[in-house]
Amino acid sequence: MRCQRLDPKKPEDLAKAAQLILQGELVAFPTETVYGLGALALNDSAIQKIYEAKGRPSYNPLIVHVASANAARELFKLDDDALFWKFAHAYWPGPLTLVAPKVDHIPALATGGLDKVAVRVPAHPVALELLRLVGQPMVAPSANASTRPSATTAEHVLHTLGDKIAAVLDAGPTEHGLESTVVDISVDPPVILRLGALQLDSLELSHAKGTEGSPGRTDKHYAPLIPEIRWATREEMASAPSNYALLTRHRIPGSHIQEVLPDNPAEYGKELFAALYRLEQSSPKALWIEGLPKEKKWDTVRDRIKRSLS
Ligand code: TXA
Ligand code: MG
């Protein structure tokens, strides 16, 4: 399949994207976190195409995207929705995904057979406009082949999925560069299932232990195609062979293949996945990643890197 590159500034291109989705095709689109691979959420054959295109195991559930908190509320079966509205009012539209028991008409295929569904209202104007044009919920995992880094540009969508999807809406690099924070609100206190772009320090929350409650966390993820990937100190990096790639926060002298990212977690997170794809392009023998400060604000970035290590 040849993937069409669509321009979201053109109303006819947005209409085309919505039309393809309504026909059961896959269309990648920008969100404020990373690019999503969109398909009809209530249509088994469209959902099946997502798992096939990504090479994703069918037990790893998808996030359902909608254009408003009211539309999200309709997808959950909740006796008490106080927590739902607390989070919805505070953070939507935005990089937060809520998990709670699903209504019956959400296909089991979308939730990997679980009784709970994950839902979010993205903040990107193109995502919201596309959802409005489609007029129904869309599933949208990150728009990358399974195990690879998430795509933060249309180029990186095309790099791993270009021959498997109908179109991509190209709105340039995404704002956060890291995926949404996933919170299960069906338990009190709510549980963070995946750290993400939204920092939730101020709320009463607990953290899932290991892979508890979040099937996707068992798998290898976010990995560039480089034979060996590990943490390293600056001292080790200074004597690394020159065909090794380095991911640092301050330049290491020498002729290494090197990406220097900002010494600030939000800026670092924004550029991380794109930097991993760039490093992979130079086919290094190994990738050494400079250790990160042991502060909470670096936890999301640290989580993504840990899961990409060999
Ligand atoms: O920012 C994001 O969340 C992006 C954009 C496109 O919205 N999407 C995204 O989707 O990152 P994906 O499929 O790459 O990651 C979804 C995560 C996985 O870790 C999955 O296991 C978890 O959400 N998840 C989805 N449904 C779940 C459920 N019902 N219960 C627990 N975890 C769930
Ligand atoms: Mg993903």
Side-chain angles (χ1 to χ4, degrees), residues 163-212:
D163 56 347
K164 299 188 175 68
I165 66 175
V168 56
L169 278 162
D170 182 356
T174 57
E175 180 191 342
H176 294 290
L178 297 175
E179 306 81 353
S180 63
T181 303
V182 180
V183 179
D184 186 339
I185 51 160
S186 66
V187 286
D188 202 1
V191 175
I192 297 189
L193 298 178
R194 176 178 74 180
L195 293 172
L198 181 68
Q199 293 269 343
L200 281 171
D201 300 334
S202 56
L203 283 152
E204 272 276 292
L205 291 159
S206 71
H207 282 260
K209 293 176 196 75
T211 61
E212 189 184 303

Side-chain angles (χ1 to χ4, degrees), residues 101-295:
K102 73 177 188 74
V103 291
D104 297 337
H105 69 273
I106 296 176
L109 205 52
T111 63
L114 299 176
D115 296 334
K116 294 181 191 175
V117 63
V119 182
R120 99 175 182 96
V121 182
H124 199 294
V126 173
L128 288 171
E129 187 55 24
L130 181 64
L131 283 162
R132 282 189 204 106
L133 290 172
V134 169
Q136 43 176 306
M138 278 164 46
V139 278
S142 53
N144 53 279
S146 191
T147 78
R148 310 299 316 284
S150 299
T152 55
T153 64
E155 286 72 29
H156 293 149
V157 173
L158 293 169
H159 182 59
T160 72
L161 295 175
D163 56 347
K164 299 188 175 68
I165 66 175
V168 56
L169 278 162
D170 182 356
T174 57
E175 180 191 342
H176 294 290
L178 297 175
E179 306 81 353
S180 63
T181 303
V182 180
V183 179
D184 186 339
I185 51 160
S186 66
V187 286
D188 202 1
V191 175
I192 297 189
L193 298 178
R194 176 178 74 180
L195 293 172
L198 181 68
Q199 293 269 343
L200 281 171
D201 300 334
S202 56
L203 283 152
E204 272 276 292
L205 291 159
S206 71
H207 282 260
K209 293 176 196 75
T211 61
E212 189 184 303
S214 194
R217 299 201 53 87
T218 49
D219 305 317
K220 185 175 173 68
H221 256 77
Y222 314 116
L225 298 177
I226 300 174
E228 183 205 310
I229 306 171
R230 71 164 176 93
W231 295 112
T233 62
R234 290 184 64 79
E235 292 69 39
E236 287 174 307
M237 287 176 149
S239 53
S242 62
N243 58 359
Y244 278 30
L246 308 179
L247 182 61
T248 63
R249 285 173 291 116
H250 305 280
R251 180 161 291 282
I252 303 268
S255 58
H256 307 96
I257 306 152
Q258 187 169 177
E259 284 282 341
V260 185
L261 295 187
D263 190 14
N264 161 304
E267 293 302 313
Y268 188 112
K270 183 181 172 122
E271 294 180 34
L272 173 63
F273 292 139
L276 292 177
Y277 277 120
R278 283 195 298 270
L279 287 167
E280 164 185 305
Q281 291 292 313
S282 11
S283 309
K285 284 272 175 291
L287 168 59
W288 284 4
I289 303 176
E290 181 181 354
L292 299 170
K294 298 220 170 354
E295 292 164 82

Side-chain angles (χ1 to χ4, degrees), residues 2-22:
R2 210 180 137 266
C3 177
Q4 297 181 56
R5 200 165 177 141
L6 300 173
D7 178 356
K9 288 196 286 301
K10 295 183 183 157
E12 65 272 25
D13 277 22
L14 268 170
K16 175 83 196 165
Q19 186 195 5
L20 285 165
I21 299 241
L22 285 166

